[in-house]
mmCIF file of all heavy atoms in Angstrom:
data_model
loop_
_atom_site.group_PDB
_atom_site.id
_atom_site.type_symbol
_atom_site.label_atom_id
_atom_site.label_comp_id
_atom_site.label_asym_id
_atom_site.label_seq_id
_atom_site.Cartn_x
_atom_site.Cartn_y
_atom_site.Cartn_z
ATOM 1 N N ASN E 1 47.876 -27.640 77.256
ATOM 2 C CA ASN E 1 47.231 -26.533 76.601
ATOM 3 C C ASN E 1 47.053 -25.379 77.654
ATOM 4 O O ASN E 1 46.017 -25.343 78.386
ATOM 5 C CB ASN E 1 45.824 -26.956 76.127
ATOM 6 C CG ASN E 1 45.204 -25.832 75.269
ATOM 7 O OD1 ASN E 1 45.797 -24.819 75.061
ATOM 8 N ND2 ASN E 1 43.974 -25.975 74.846
ATOM 9 N N GLN E 2 48.015 -24.627 77.882
ATOM 10 C CA GLN E 2 47.999 -23.558 78.913
ATOM 11 C C GLN E 2 46.809 -22.613 78.808
ATOM 12 O O GLN E 2 46.284 -22.135 79.774
ATOM 13 C CB GLN E 2 49.310 -22.816 78.831
ATOM 14 C CG GLN E 2 50.602 -23.638 79.209
ATOM 15 C CD GLN E 2 50.763 -23.962 80.662
ATOM 16 O OE1 GLN E 2 50.452 -23.117 81.565
ATOM 17 N NE2 GLN E 2 51.411 -25.017 81.011
ATOM 18 N N GLN E 3 46.539 -22.256 77.481
ATOM 19 C CA GLN E 3 45.535 -21.244 77.192
ATOM 20 C C GLN E 3 44.103 -21.815 77.437
ATOM 21 O O GLN E 3 43.229 -21.013 77.832
ATOM 22 C CB GLN E 3 45.652 -20.828 75.799
ATOM 23 C CG GLN E 3 44.748 -19.769 75.373
ATOM 24 C CD GLN E 3 45.302 -18.398 75.842
ATOM 25 O OE1 GLN E 3 46.473 -18.223 76.125
ATOM 26 N NE2 GLN E 3 44.417 -17.276 75.768
ATOM 27 N N GLY E 4 43.810 -23.038 77.024
ATOM 28 C CA GLY E 4 42.489 -23.596 77.113
ATOM 29 C C GLY E 4 41.693 -22.979 75.880
ATOM 30 O O GLY E 4 42.326 -22.599 74.912
ATOM 31 N N GLY E 5 40.364 -22.992 75.953
ATOM 32 C CA GLY E 5 39.627 -22.381 75.028
ATOM 33 C C GLY E 5 38.820 -23.321 74.086
ATOM 34 O O GLY E 5 38.468 -24.459 74.546
ATOM 35 N N ILE E 6 38.426 -22.919 72.905
ATOM 36 C CA ILE E 6 37.547 -23.769 71.985
ATOM 37 C C ILE E 6 38.444 -24.438 70.939
ATOM 38 O O ILE E 6 39.177 -23.656 70.227
ATOM 39 C CB ILE E 6 36.498 -22.835 71.456
ATOM 40 C CG1 ILE E 6 35.691 -22.286 72.461
ATOM 41 C CG2 ILE E 6 35.600 -23.670 70.534
ATOM 42 C CD1 ILE E 6 34.715 -21.136 71.968
ATOM 43 N N VAL E 7 38.326 -25.724 70.804
ATOM 44 C CA VAL E 7 39.069 -26.487 69.806
ATOM 45 C C VAL E 7 38.143 -27.006 68.806
ATOM 46 O O VAL E 7 37.069 -27.630 69.261
ATOM 47 C CB VAL E 7 39.903 -27.593 70.529
ATOM 48 C CG1 VAL E 7 40.641 -28.361 69.444
ATOM 49 C CG2 VAL E 7 40.894 -27.035 71.569
ATOM 50 N N GLU E 8 38.379 -26.890 67.506
ATOM 51 C CA GLU E 8 37.574 -27.521 66.464
ATOM 52 C C GLU E 8 38.185 -28.763 65.978
ATOM 53 O O GLU E 8 39.367 -28.846 65.715
ATOM 54 C CB GLU E 8 37.394 -26.497 65.306
ATOM 55 C CG GLU E 8 36.502 -26.976 64.273
ATOM 56 C CD GLU E 8 36.287 -25.936 63.136
ATOM 57 O OE1 GLU E 8 37.201 -25.055 62.969
ATOM 58 O OE2 GLU E 8 35.380 -26.038 62.387
ATOM 59 N N LYS E 9 37.376 -29.833 66.001
ATOM 60 C CA LYS E 9 37.937 -31.186 65.519
ATOM 61 C C LYS E 9 36.804 -31.939 64.823
ATOM 62 O O LYS E 9 35.609 -31.548 64.900
ATOM 63 C CB LYS E 9 38.508 -31.821 66.706
ATOM 64 C CG LYS E 9 37.464 -32.270 67.720
ATOM 65 C CD LYS E 9 38.163 -32.987 68.895
ATOM 66 C CE LYS E 9 37.336 -34.176 69.403
ATOM 67 N NZ LYS E 9 37.905 -35.025 70.337
ATOM 68 N N GLU E 10 37.148 -33.016 64.133
ATOM 69 C CA GLU E 10 36.216 -33.928 63.471
ATOM 70 C C GLU E 10 35.565 -34.858 64.438
ATOM 71 O O GLU E 10 36.325 -35.330 65.376
ATOM 72 C CB GLU E 10 36.921 -34.646 62.324
ATOM 73 C CG GLU E 10 37.358 -33.827 61.165
ATOM 74 C CD GLU E 10 38.870 -33.556 61.196
ATOM 75 O OE1 GLU E 10 39.562 -33.872 62.249
ATOM 76 O OE2 GLU E 10 39.279 -32.908 60.299
ATOM 77 N N ALA E 11 34.305 -35.156 64.276
ATOM 78 C CA ALA E 11 33.629 -36.191 65.001
ATOM 79 C C ALA E 11 33.308 -37.341 64.114
ATOM 80 O O ALA E 11 33.115 -37.157 62.839
ATOM 81 C CB ALA E 11 32.327 -35.588 65.621
ATOM 82 N N PRO E 12 33.134 -38.604 64.609
ATOM 83 C CA PRO E 12 32.856 -39.688 63.852
ATOM 84 C C PRO E 12 31.442 -39.678 63.140
ATOM 85 O O PRO E 12 30.534 -39.101 63.849
ATOM 86 C CB PRO E 12 33.033 -40.843 64.706
ATOM 87 C CG PRO E 12 33.343 -40.396 66.092
ATOM 88 C CD PRO E 12 33.392 -38.983 65.970
ATOM 89 N N ILE E 13 31.262 -40.198 61.987
ATOM 90 C CA ILE E 13 29.966 -40.354 61.517
ATOM 91 C C ILE E 13 29.646 -41.807 61.166
ATOM 92 O O ILE E 13 30.634 -42.556 61.036
ATOM 93 C CB ILE E 13 29.786 -39.427 60.157
ATOM 94 C CG1 ILE E 13 30.760 -39.824 59.094
ATOM 95 C CG2 ILE E 13 29.943 -38.030 60.499
ATOM 96 C CD1 ILE E 13 30.558 -39.098 57.815
ATOM 97 N N ASP E 14 28.434 -42.184 60.889
ATOM 98 C CA ASP E 14 28.168 -43.592 60.549
ATOM 99 C C ASP E 14 28.703 -44.001 59.329
ATOM 100 O O ASP E 14 28.679 -43.216 58.384
ATOM 101 C CB ASP E 14 26.675 -43.716 60.662
ATOM 102 C CG ASP E 14 26.229 -45.217 60.914
ATOM 103 O OD1 ASP E 14 26.276 -45.583 62.070
ATOM 104 O OD2 ASP E 14 25.980 -45.864 59.921
ATOM 105 N N ILE E 15 29.192 -45.206 59.232
ATOM 106 C CA ILE E 15 29.869 -45.807 58.090
ATOM 107 C C ILE E 15 28.802 -45.867 56.840
ATOM 108 O O ILE E 15 29.243 -45.842 55.778
ATOM 109 C CB ILE E 15 30.551 -47.089 58.357
ATOM 110 C CG1 ILE E 15 31.575 -47.301 57.334
ATOM 111 C CG2 ILE E 15 29.603 -48.250 58.509
ATOM 112 C CD1 ILE E 15 32.545 -48.402 57.700
ATOM 113 N N SER E 16 27.503 -45.906 57.257
ATOM 114 C CA SER E 16 26.493 -46.055 56.081
ATOM 115 C C SER E 16 26.276 -44.708 55.456
ATOM 116 O O SER E 16 25.661 -44.731 54.366
ATOM 117 C CB SER E 16 25.165 -46.627 56.757
ATOM 118 O OG SER E 16 24.716 -45.643 57.636
ATOM 119 N N ASN E 17 26.777 -43.662 56.023
ATOM 120 C CA ASN E 17 26.602 -42.300 55.399
ATOM 121 C C ASN E 17 27.688 -41.937 54.487
ATOM 122 O O ASN E 17 27.621 -40.826 53.982
ATOM 123 C CB ASN E 17 26.493 -41.246 56.603
ATOM 124 C CG ASN E 17 25.092 -41.395 57.348
ATOM 125 O OD1 ASN E 17 24.254 -42.141 56.937
ATOM 126 N ND2 ASN E 17 25.088 -40.903 58.516
ATOM 127 N N VAL E 18 28.658 -42.908 54.158
ATOM 128 C CA VAL E 18 29.691 -42.477 53.275
ATOM 129 C C VAL E 18 29.749 -43.565 52.177
ATOM 130 O O VAL E 18 29.346 -44.755 52.335
ATOM 131 C CB VAL E 18 31.071 -42.370 53.946
ATOM 132 C CG1 VAL E 18 31.093 -41.327 54.954
ATOM 133 C CG2 VAL E 18 31.483 -43.676 54.633
ATOM 134 N N MET E 19 30.262 -43.214 50.908
ATOM 135 C CA MET E 19 30.438 -44.121 49.883
ATOM 136 C C MET E 19 31.928 -43.946 49.323
ATOM 137 O O MET E 19 32.398 -42.809 49.292
ATOM 138 C CB MET E 19 29.495 -43.846 48.737
ATOM 139 C CG MET E 19 28.151 -44.492 48.929
ATOM 140 S SD MET E 19 27.099 -44.332 47.414
ATOM 141 C CE MET E 19 27.495 -45.777 46.699
ATOM 142 N N TYR E 20 32.556 -45.031 48.922
ATOM 143 C CA TYR E 20 33.904 -45.080 48.426
ATOM 144 C C TYR E 20 33.831 -44.312 47.068
ATOM 145 O O TYR E 20 33.024 -44.465 46.230
ATOM 146 C CB TYR E 20 34.262 -46.506 48.218
ATOM 147 C CG TYR E 20 35.732 -46.726 47.681
ATOM 148 C CD1 TYR E 20 36.775 -46.555 48.627
ATOM 149 C CD2 TYR E 20 35.981 -46.853 46.318
ATOM 150 C CE1 TYR E 20 38.083 -46.749 48.206
ATOM 151 C CE2 TYR E 20 37.248 -47.047 45.967
ATOM 152 C CZ TYR E 20 38.309 -46.909 46.819
ATOM 153 O OH TYR E 20 39.664 -47.013 46.353
ATOM 154 N N LEU E 21 34.893 -43.472 46.870
ATOM 155 C CA LEU E 21 35.124 -42.747 45.591
ATOM 156 C C LEU E 21 36.027 -43.502 44.793
ATOM 157 O O LEU E 21 37.156 -43.706 45.101
ATOM 158 C CB LEU E 21 35.586 -41.414 45.880
ATOM 159 C CG LEU E 21 34.592 -40.304 46.301
ATOM 160 C CD1 LEU E 21 35.328 -38.963 46.450
ATOM 161 C CD2 LEU E 21 33.595 -40.055 45.239
ATOM 162 N N TYR E 22 35.539 -44.037 43.579
ATOM 163 C CA TYR E 22 36.426 -44.653 42.693
ATOM 164 C C TYR E 22 36.411 -43.925 41.278
ATOM 165 O O TYR E 22 35.318 -43.736 40.608
ATOM 166 C CB TYR E 22 35.775 -46.154 42.329
ATOM 167 C CG TYR E 22 36.631 -46.957 41.423
ATOM 168 C CD1 TYR E 22 37.873 -47.456 41.856
ATOM 169 C CD2 TYR E 22 36.155 -47.295 40.195
ATOM 170 C CE1 TYR E 22 38.613 -48.322 40.896
ATOM 171 C CE2 TYR E 22 36.867 -48.062 39.306
ATOM 172 C CZ TYR E 22 38.013 -48.483 39.684
ATOM 173 O OH TYR E 22 38.753 -49.368 38.848
ATOM 174 N N LYS E 23 37.570 -43.459 40.952
ATOM 175 C CA LYS E 23 37.757 -42.556 39.745
ATOM 176 C C LYS E 23 36.796 -41.396 39.822
ATOM 177 O O LYS E 23 36.233 -40.998 38.757
ATOM 178 C CB LYS E 23 37.533 -43.372 38.493
ATOM 179 C CG LYS E 23 38.653 -44.530 38.302
ATOM 180 C CD LYS E 23 38.403 -45.266 36.998
ATOM 181 C CE LYS E 23 39.482 -46.338 36.857
ATOM 182 N NZ LYS E 23 39.272 -47.126 35.660
ATOM 183 N N GLY E 24 36.584 -40.800 40.966
ATOM 184 C CA GLY E 24 35.887 -39.577 41.077
ATOM 185 C C GLY E 24 34.376 -39.777 41.270
ATOM 186 O O GLY E 24 33.631 -38.811 41.535
ATOM 187 N N SER E 25 33.835 -40.981 41.304
ATOM 188 C CA SER E 25 32.416 -41.187 41.450
ATOM 189 C C SER E 25 32.141 -42.224 42.600
ATOM 190 O O SER E 25 32.956 -43.170 42.777
ATOM 191 C CB SER E 25 31.718 -41.680 40.206
ATOM 192 O OG SER E 25 32.317 -42.855 39.811
ATOM 193 N N PRO E 26 31.072 -41.948 43.322
ATOM 194 C CA PRO E 26 30.826 -42.950 44.458
ATOM 195 C C PRO E 26 30.324 -44.191 43.969
ATOM 196 O O PRO E 26 29.482 -44.281 43.022
ATOM 197 C CB PRO E 26 29.632 -42.210 45.276
ATOM 198 C CG PRO E 26 29.214 -41.094 44.326
ATOM 199 C CD PRO E 26 30.137 -40.772 43.257
ATOM 200 N N VAL E 27 30.837 -45.304 44.416
ATOM 201 C CA VAL E 27 30.538 -46.700 44.057
ATOM 202 C C VAL E 27 30.314 -47.574 45.310
ATOM 203 O O VAL E 27 30.781 -47.332 46.367
ATOM 204 C CB VAL E 27 31.558 -47.220 43.137
ATOM 205 C CG1 VAL E 27 31.645 -46.475 41.724
ATOM 206 C CG2 VAL E 27 32.855 -47.432 43.788
ATOM 207 N N ARG E 28 29.561 -48.658 44.978
ATOM 208 C CA ARG E 28 29.479 -49.700 46.058
ATOM 209 C C ARG E 28 30.777 -50.582 46.020
ATOM 210 O O ARG E 28 31.362 -50.800 45.019
ATOM 211 C CB ARG E 28 28.250 -50.550 45.790
ATOM 212 C CG ARG E 28 26.929 -49.782 45.870
ATOM 213 C CD ARG E 28 25.748 -50.706 45.828
ATOM 214 N NE ARG E 28 24.525 -49.930 46.040
ATOM 215 C CZ ARG E 28 23.346 -50.421 46.122
ATOM 216 N NH1 ARG E 28 23.269 -51.698 46.152
ATOM 217 N NH2 ARG E 28 22.341 -49.727 46.383
ATOM 218 N N ILE E 29 30.921 -51.143 47.194
ATOM 219 C CA ILE E 29 32.193 -52.032 47.335
ATOM 220 C C ILE E 29 31.659 -53.391 47.675
ATOM 221 O O ILE E 29 30.728 -53.532 48.474
ATOM 222 C CB ILE E 29 33.054 -51.394 48.618
ATOM 223 C CG1 ILE E 29 33.530 -50.089 48.191
ATOM 224 C CG2 ILE E 29 34.234 -52.448 48.803
ATOM 225 C CD1 ILE E 29 34.570 -49.995 46.994
ATOM 226 N N GLY E 30 32.391 -54.399 47.139
ATOM 227 C CA GLY E 30 32.078 -55.748 47.455
ATOM 228 C C GLY E 30 33.439 -56.597 47.615
ATOM 229 O O GLY E 30 34.480 -55.959 47.517
ATOM 230 N N PHE E 31 33.350 -57.800 47.860
ATOM 231 C CA PHE E 31 34.452 -58.683 47.942
ATOM 232 C C PHE E 31 34.441 -59.759 46.987
ATOM 233 O O PHE E 31 33.302 -60.319 46.590
ATOM 234 C CB PHE E 31 34.551 -59.241 49.400
ATOM 235 C CG PHE E 31 34.834 -58.270 50.435
ATOM 236 C CD1 PHE E 31 33.837 -57.768 51.230
ATOM 237 C CD2 PHE E 31 36.157 -57.875 50.669
ATOM 238 C CE1 PHE E 31 34.075 -56.844 52.233
ATOM 239 C CE2 PHE E 31 36.346 -56.850 51.653
ATOM 240 C CZ PHE E 31 35.331 -56.384 52.490
ATOM 241 N N GLU E 32 35.510 -60.246 46.337
ATOM 242 C CA GLU E 32 35.615 -61.305 45.428
ATOM 243 C C GLU E 32 36.730 -62.230 45.962
ATOM 244 O O GLU E 32 37.789 -61.825 46.331
ATOM 245 C CB GLU E 32 35.814 -60.756 44.024
ATOM 246 C CG GLU E 32 35.756 -61.754 42.926
ATOM 247 C CD GLU E 32 35.985 -61.039 41.675
ATOM 248 O OE1 GLU E 32 37.039 -60.568 41.333
ATOM 249 O OE2 GLU E 32 34.999 -61.040 40.872
ATOM 250 N N GLY E 33 36.454 -63.506 45.783
ATOM 251 C CA GLY E 33 37.495 -64.505 46.238
ATOM 252 C C GLY E 33 37.317 -64.975 47.643
ATOM 253 O O GLY E 33 36.370 -64.534 48.303
ATOM 254 N N THR E 34 38.099 -65.872 48.032
ATOM 255 C CA THR E 34 38.044 -66.493 49.346
ATOM 256 C C THR E 34 39.429 -66.587 49.948
ATOM 257 O O THR E 34 40.502 -66.626 49.245
ATOM 258 C CB THR E 34 37.385 -67.927 49.312
ATOM 259 O OG1 THR E 34 38.237 -68.715 48.505
ATOM 260 C CG2 THR E 34 36.005 -67.861 48.742
ATOM 261 N N GLY E 35 39.484 -66.582 51.305
ATOM 262 C CA GLY E 35 40.687 -66.846 52.000
ATOM 263 C C GLY E 35 41.728 -65.692 51.680
ATOM 264 O O GLY E 35 41.444 -64.536 51.737
ATOM 265 N N LYS E 36 43.004 -66.131 51.335
ATOM 266 C CA LYS E 36 43.998 -65.122 51.061
ATOM 267 C C LYS E 36 43.791 -64.463 49.720
ATOM 268 O O LYS E 36 44.423 -63.388 49.478
ATOM 269 C CB LYS E 36 45.368 -65.828 51.074
ATOM 270 C CG LYS E 36 45.751 -66.193 52.424
ATOM 271 C CD LYS E 36 47.280 -66.692 52.445
ATOM 272 C CE LYS E 36 47.687 -67.027 53.893
ATOM 273 N NZ LYS E 36 49.045 -66.755 54.118
ATOM 274 N N ASP E 37 42.949 -64.987 48.878
ATOM 275 C CA ASP E 37 42.751 -64.386 47.544
ATOM 276 C C ASP E 37 41.654 -63.349 47.532
ATOM 277 O O ASP E 37 41.192 -62.835 46.532
ATOM 278 C CB ASP E 37 42.379 -65.453 46.493
ATOM 279 C CG ASP E 37 43.507 -66.494 46.340
ATOM 280 O OD1 ASP E 37 44.663 -66.051 46.408
ATOM 281 O OD2 ASP E 37 43.255 -67.671 45.998
ATOM 282 N N LYS E 38 41.124 -63.081 48.770
ATOM 283 C CA LYS E 38 39.891 -62.112 48.926
ATOM 284 C C LYS E 38 40.483 -60.693 48.537
ATOM 285 O O LYS E 38 41.376 -60.180 49.138
ATOM 286 C CB LYS E 38 39.374 -62.222 50.189
ATOM 287 C CG LYS E 38 38.014 -61.430 50.395
ATOM 288 C CD LYS E 38 37.491 -61.595 51.812
ATOM 289 C CE LYS E 38 36.257 -62.318 51.856
ATOM 290 N NZ LYS E 38 35.541 -62.357 53.098
ATOM 291 N N LYS E 39 39.684 -60.049 47.698
ATOM 292 C CA LYS E 39 40.016 -58.668 47.237
ATOM 293 C C LYS E 39 38.832 -57.798 47.303
ATOM 294 O O LYS E 39 37.701 -58.295 47.043
ATOM 295 C CB LYS E 39 40.659 -58.608 45.784
ATOM 296 C CG LYS E 39 41.696 -59.488 45.568
ATOM 297 C CD LYS E 39 42.985 -58.734 45.956
ATOM 298 C CE LYS E 39 44.203 -59.582 45.522
ATOM 299 N NZ LYS E 39 45.391 -59.084 46.197
ATOM 300 N N ARG E 40 38.943 -56.512 47.483
ATOM 301 C CA ARG E 40 37.818 -55.498 47.465
ATOM 302 C C ARG E 40 37.654 -55.158 45.955
ATOM 303 O O ARG E 40 38.651 -54.916 45.260
ATOM 304 C CB ARG E 40 38.185 -54.248 48.190
ATOM 305 C CG ARG E 40 38.028 -54.403 49.774
ATOM 306 C CD ARG E 40 38.058 -53.125 50.463
ATOM 307 N NE ARG E 40 39.089 -52.145 50.019
ATOM 308 C CZ ARG E 40 39.126 -50.939 50.377
ATOM 309 N NH1 ARG E 40 38.159 -50.393 50.968
ATOM 310 N NH2 ARG E 40 40.120 -50.184 49.911
ATOM 311 N N VAL E 41 36.383 -55.070 45.562
ATOM 312 C CA VAL E 41 36.138 -54.746 44.213
ATOM 313 C C VAL E 41 35.108 -53.554 44.160
ATOM 314 O O VAL E 41 34.238 -53.592 45.113
ATOM 315 C CB VAL E 41 35.602 -55.938 43.354
ATOM 316 C CG1 VAL E 41 36.694 -56.867 43.138
ATOM 317 C CG2 VAL E 41 34.394 -56.593 44.026
ATOM 318 N N ALA E 42 35.228 -52.768 43.208
ATOM 319 C CA ALA E 42 34.207 -51.666 42.977
ATOM 320 C C ALA E 42 33.207 -52.198 41.923
ATOM 321 O O ALA E 42 33.583 -52.705 40.925
ATOM 322 C CB ALA E 42 34.904 -50.397 42.518
ATOM 323 N N LYS E 43 32.005 -51.885 42.317
ATOM 324 C CA LYS E 43 30.794 -52.288 41.433
ATOM 325 C C LYS E 43 30.527 -51.148 40.549
ATOM 326 O O LYS E 43 29.705 -50.211 40.866
ATOM 327 C CB LYS E 43 29.648 -52.730 42.210
ATOM 328 C CG LYS E 43 29.973 -53.931 43.219
ATOM 329 C CD LYS E 43 28.801 -54.448 44.026
ATOM 330 C CE LYS E 43 29.204 -55.581 44.899
ATOM 331 N NZ LYS E 43 27.983 -55.902 45.704
ATOM 332 N N VAL E 44 31.027 -51.157 39.294
ATOM 333 C CA VAL E 44 30.895 -50.118 38.329
ATOM 334 C C VAL E 44 30.135 -50.579 37.150
ATOM 335 O O VAL E 44 30.588 -51.453 36.439
ATOM 336 C CB VAL E 44 32.227 -49.474 37.859
ATOM 337 C CG1 VAL E 44 32.123 -48.361 37.083
ATOM 338 C CG2 VAL E 44 33.139 -49.054 39.110
ATOM 339 N N ASP E 45 28.972 -50.017 36.872
ATOM 340 C CA ASP E 45 28.185 -50.347 35.696
ATOM 341 C C ASP E 45 28.012 -51.843 35.543
ATOM 342 O O ASP E 45 28.156 -52.290 34.494
ATOM 343 C CB ASP E 45 28.865 -49.757 34.473
ATOM 344 C CG ASP E 45 28.870 -48.254 34.502
ATOM 345 O OD1 ASP E 45 27.980 -47.648 35.064
ATOM 346 O OD2 ASP E 45 29.794 -47.594 33.876
ATOM 347 N N GLY E 46 27.713 -52.483 36.627
ATOM 348 C CA GLY E 46 27.492 -53.930 36.494
ATOM 349 C C GLY E 46 28.704 -54.884 36.415
ATOM 350 O O GLY E 46 28.715 -56.008 36.411
ATOM 351 N N LYS E 47 29.932 -54.108 36.427
ATOM 352 C CA LYS E 47 31.143 -54.949 36.356
ATOM 353 C C LYS E 47 31.941 -54.788 37.636
ATOM 354 O O LYS E 47 31.644 -53.824 38.356
ATOM 355 C CB LYS E 47 32.058 -54.288 35.198
ATOM 356 C CG LYS E 47 31.385 -54.378 33.868
ATOM 357 C CD LYS E 47 32.356 -53.625 32.927
ATOM 358 C CE LYS E 47 31.505 -53.387 31.596
ATOM 359 N NZ LYS E 47 31.999 -52.334 30.741
#
């Protein structure tokens, strides 16, 4: 960077401050199954 100067970039934030977006709405994430069958699941309206 021959010029130097001020660079704008993203900084990390805590993982607890974000929620996964599932079909446009923030939801909680859980896991279902064990071992190789373990999948991530979205907890939507009790389902």
Side-chain angles (χ1 to χ4, degrees):
N1 186 5
Q2 298 279 332
Q3 186 81 16
I6 301 171
V7 178
E8 187 178 15
K9 63 182 221 173
E10 293 99 357
I13 60 175
D14 201 83
I15 202 163
S16 65
N17 292 343
V18 298
M19 282 187 85
Y20 182 82
L21 280 177
Y22 181 72
K23 296 182 180 175
S25 61
V27 295
R28 291 183 178 193
I29 298 293
F31 292 101
E32 191 175 64
T34 57
K36 290 191 174 210
D37 298 329
K38 190 180 245 187
K39 301 280 185 193
R40 282 194 313 166
V41 293
K43 299 176 181 180
V44 183
D45 298 329
K47 301 175 194 156

